């Protein structure tokens, strides 16, 4: 179809994105919330962005939709830099939408749900007056809301229904990419499953790309095709879902997974890998590898000086799957030390 | 004195026994029946997880034990701590129970701590209120308490203000204060919900260790089955203001008998198993509890519901010596 050499750009490409906050002069060090991250999302694909608080995952999401101006780097949607006004058509701007954690604070409390959805159509000129009502009805139906919800205010809906309304609002713009920032965190388990299933069904049907920002590793595993684990503004491990969850290589990823509280009772339950201490302060990051103060591998390797001297780069371990990148100086030794760790844990 | 029943002879008298606890709130829009007949027991040194979704009555049950409900709450039933019924005890008696015999930890430590007092002064206040110690003894005790909850460099930390500590450390301070008088029971309501997973795991380990070391009983209230599974021996699952299933943690998790417990487990994404398909959501919404329902509160959402379920509310009945379920059609008790 396309001529030789000319490839279509990916739906989303994030290149060396940096977002620093605060003054930059001799007396103040900026807080490097995001400090050089590369991401890629194809149509119909979900990229999961996981990490603890302060890892920069939400800031990345905000920079992707254009709510946060990057300090450096590029956010390209279908090849166009979303932060350069001249390169973004209104059509492209519309193609990127966002769903927030708390729909109660992201919706106008005085606006009825139907009106909130219709407003999007109006702003973007997506349907004429007659078609609008029909479109609103079909959008509400698509997210599993009933016709009676059209005339309700946000406070008259349950948490799950409000999140459905927020999804309908995002869908109204006919997006090709949606950044979902903790979309189910505020919901109860039974309702959470409804919304997760809805997001997956919509993706399969409409081939929308998702960036799923979440602290919940189980939710990300269920939804995402590919995953990036963030720690202090950087991706420390990226790869396919199977690579990440069945063959995690970064000491941080391994520790994070073992800390997930699980209601499963099975022999295959991975033993606990204990991380001492708490996530570091982004305003005052440790030198070298940002995970080194808490790293279990480093202590097993008798604290090699390299960890605190040099920041590791993302690279593919020799025996890892294609596209599985890990930023650890001693990634080759992770597997050899896991059994010892497990023996200690049990 | 209560005589020991034959079947219970092996158990000691429970530390805390709740019998048919009902709590309702009168509001302008009407009455909300938040807790509708909860009965449970916590033994000496035992650990019980109370699990359920928002509005199921788990927090109200915990607050009722401590007598901390708002003024528009109507409480009936028995909350027996030894010979004392906490549901009817006068405030003066409750002040002795709280902190002394029952310690408590809430979800948001920043809201529970005084922002303009140092951590040390706040612990000192607790010690001075409850124990007859000299200033020097209290200081030693405060340091010892912080060390017990694994706060590094405890002597220096006493001079810190709450905002100078991380969320995990603040929660550890709250636990230290709750343990100041060595209570027999610690009630923790969503103690780790606001924390990162790695910090949450550390804190749950600390709670489990303290329980064993101090021989203290623990009642852990959480929406997260995984959290409770990590720290408790027994579990009580609540729905619509009632306990619908209770039993030893492992048994309930591997072979849930109530369809709601089963659905809750199936609705939770896991770190193994299928992806993007197979997550069974529970359709509909929890009941609103505006008026007393004479049916099973889960019936409208239940796959097993029959005619009987919408006419009668099933009672919590034992299925084996350790387990009980409130369902007319429970799954067999042995894991399949």
């Amino acid at each position: 179809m396309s001529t030789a050499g000319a490839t279509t750009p990916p739906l989303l490409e994030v290149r060396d994105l940096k977002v620093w906050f605060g003054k930059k002069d001799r007396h103040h060090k900026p807080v490097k919330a995001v400090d050089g991250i590369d991401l890629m999302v194809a149509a119909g694909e979900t990229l999961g962005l996981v990490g603890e608080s302060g890892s920069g995952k939400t800031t990345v999401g905000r920079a992707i939709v254009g709510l946060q101006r990057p300090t450096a780097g590029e956010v390209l949607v279908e090849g166009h830099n979303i932060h350069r006004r001249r390169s973004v058509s209104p059509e492209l701007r519309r193609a990127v939408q966002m769903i927030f954690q708390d729909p109660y604070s992201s919706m106008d409390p005085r606006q009825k749900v139907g009106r909130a959805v219709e407003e999007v159509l109006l702003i973007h000129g997506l349907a004429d007056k007659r078609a609008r009502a029909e479109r609103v009805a079909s959008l509400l139906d698509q997210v599993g809301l009933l016709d009676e919800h059209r005339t309700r205010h946000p406070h008259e809906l349950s948490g799950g229904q409000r999140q459905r309304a927020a999804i309908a609002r995002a869908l109204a713009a006919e997006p090709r990419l949606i950044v979902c920032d903790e979309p189910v965190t505020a919901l109860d388990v039974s309702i959470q499953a409804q919304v997760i299933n809805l997001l997956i069904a919509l993706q399969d049907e409409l081939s929308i790309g998702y960036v799923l920002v979440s602290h919940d590793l189980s939710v990300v595993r269920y939804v995402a095709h590919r995953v990036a684990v963030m720690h202090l503004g950087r991706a420390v491990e990226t790869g396919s879902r199977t690579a990440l969850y069945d063959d995690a290589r970064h000491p941080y990823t391994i520790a994070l997974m073992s800390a997930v509280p699980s209601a499963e009772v099975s022999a295959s339950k991975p033993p606990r890998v204990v991380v001492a201490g708490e996530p570091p302060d982004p305003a005052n990051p440790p030198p070298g590898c940002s995970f080194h103060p808490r790293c279990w591998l480093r202590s097993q390797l008798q604290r090699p000086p390299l960890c605190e001297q040099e920041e590791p780069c993302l690279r593919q371990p020799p025996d890892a799957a294609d596209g599985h990148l890990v930023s650890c100086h001693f990634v080759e030794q992770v597997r050899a030390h896991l059994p010892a760790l497990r023996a200690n844990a049990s | 004195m209560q005589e020991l029943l034959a079947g219970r002879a092996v158990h000691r008298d429970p530390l805390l026994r709740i019998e048919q606890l009902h709590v309702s709130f009168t509001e302008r829009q009407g009455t909300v029946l938040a807790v509708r007949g909860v009965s449970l027991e916590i033994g000496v040194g035992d650990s019980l997880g109370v699990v359920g979704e928002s509005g199921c009555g788990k927090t109200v049950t915990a607050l009722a034990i401590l007598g901390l409900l708002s003024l528009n709450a109507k409480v009936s039933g028995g909350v027996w701590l030894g010979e004392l019924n906490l549901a009817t005890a006068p405030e003066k008696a409750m002040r002795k129970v709280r902190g002394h015999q029952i310690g408590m930890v809430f979800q948001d430590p920043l809201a529970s701590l005084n922002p303009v007092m140092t951590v040390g002064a706040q612990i000192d206040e607790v010690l001075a209120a409850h124990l007859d110690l000299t200033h020097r003894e209290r200081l030693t005790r405060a340091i010892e308490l912080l060390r017990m909850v694994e706060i590094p460099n405890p002597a220096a930390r006493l001079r810190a203000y709450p905002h100078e500590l991380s969320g995990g450390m603040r929660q550890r301070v709250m636990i230290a204060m709750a343990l100041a008088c060595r209570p027999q029971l610690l009630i923790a309501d969503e103690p780790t919900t606001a924390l990162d997973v790695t910090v949450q795991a550390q804190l749950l380990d600390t709670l489990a260790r303290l329980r064993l070391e101090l021989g203290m009983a623990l009642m852990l209230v959480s929406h997260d089955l995984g959290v409770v599974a990590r720290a408790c021996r027994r579990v009580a699952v609540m729905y619509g203001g009632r306990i619908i299933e209770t039993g030893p943690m492992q048994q309930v998790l591997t072979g849930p008998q109530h369809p709601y417990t089963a659905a809750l487990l199936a609705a939770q994404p896991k770190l193994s198993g299928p992806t993007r398909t197979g997550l069974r959501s529970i359709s509909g919404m929890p009941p609103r509890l505006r008026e007393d329902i004479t049916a099973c509160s889960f019936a409208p959402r239940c796959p097993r519901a029959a005619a009987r379920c919408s006419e009668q509310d099933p009672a919590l009945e034992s299925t084996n010596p350790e387990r009980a379920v409130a369902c007319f059609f429970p799954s067999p008790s042995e894991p399949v």
Side-chain angles (χ1 to χ4, degrees), chain A residues 52 188 194 221 223 275 278, chain B residues 54 166 198 202 273 276 282:
Chain A
E52 295 184 275
D188 273 322
Q194 295 173 6
R221 176 180 174 276
V223 181
V275 243
E278 307 195 357
Chain B
S54 38
S166 67
T198 54
Q202 294 164 12
R276 286 181 79 82
I282 311 175

Side-chain angles (χ1 to χ4, degrees), chain A residues 39-63:
Chain A
L39 301 169
M40 192 105 82
V41 179
E45 184 189 53
T46 300
L47 171 73
L49 221 49
V50 293
E52 295 184 275
S53 47
S55 63
K57 56 190 192 301
T58 291
T59 308
V60 170
R62 291 173 59 87

Side-chain angles (χ1 to χ4, degrees), chain B residues 104-115 122 162 170-171 174 177:
Chain B
M104 56 215 146
V105 179
F106 299 104
Q107 174 171 346
D108 182 7
L110 203 54
S112 315
L113 288 165
N114 186 337
Q122 294 186 59
R170 276 181 218 136
Q171 199 57 291
M174 289 307 297
M177 287 169 71

Side-chain angles (χ1 to χ4, degrees), chain A residues 100-103 159-160 163 182-189 192 215, chain B residues 54:
Chain A
F100 297 91
Q101 170 171 349
D102 179 12
Q163 197 58 293
E182 304 273 8
V184 296
T185 306
L187 306 175
D188 273 322
V189 179
Q192 177 179 315
H215 74 285
Chain B
S54 38

Side-chain angles (χ1 to χ4, degrees), chain B residues 250-329:
Chain B
Q250 303 288 315
Q251 287 186 30
V252 173
L253 292 182
T254 48
Q257 292 186 290
H258 197 285
Y260 175 65
T261 315
L264 209 54
L265 284 165
Q268 192 118 47
K270 295 170 189 72
L271 281 182
S272 60
T275 55
R276 286 181 79 82
T277 173
L279 196 62
R280 289 215 316 265
S281 64
I282 311 175
S283 61
M285 275 179 297
R288 303 191 51 178
L289 304 176
R290 283 280 170 203
E291 61 223 41
D292 207 6
I293 3 177
T294 47
C296 170
S297 58
F298 188 58
R301 307 172 78 186
C302 183
R304 282 182 222 162
R308 192 181 171 193
C309 303
S310 45
E311 289 158 9
Q312 250 178 303
D313 201 353
L316 190 65
E317 272 167 25
S318 304
T319 51
N320 75 29
E322 287 200 282
R323 295 189 69 174
V325 61
C327 180
F328 292 124
F329 308 100

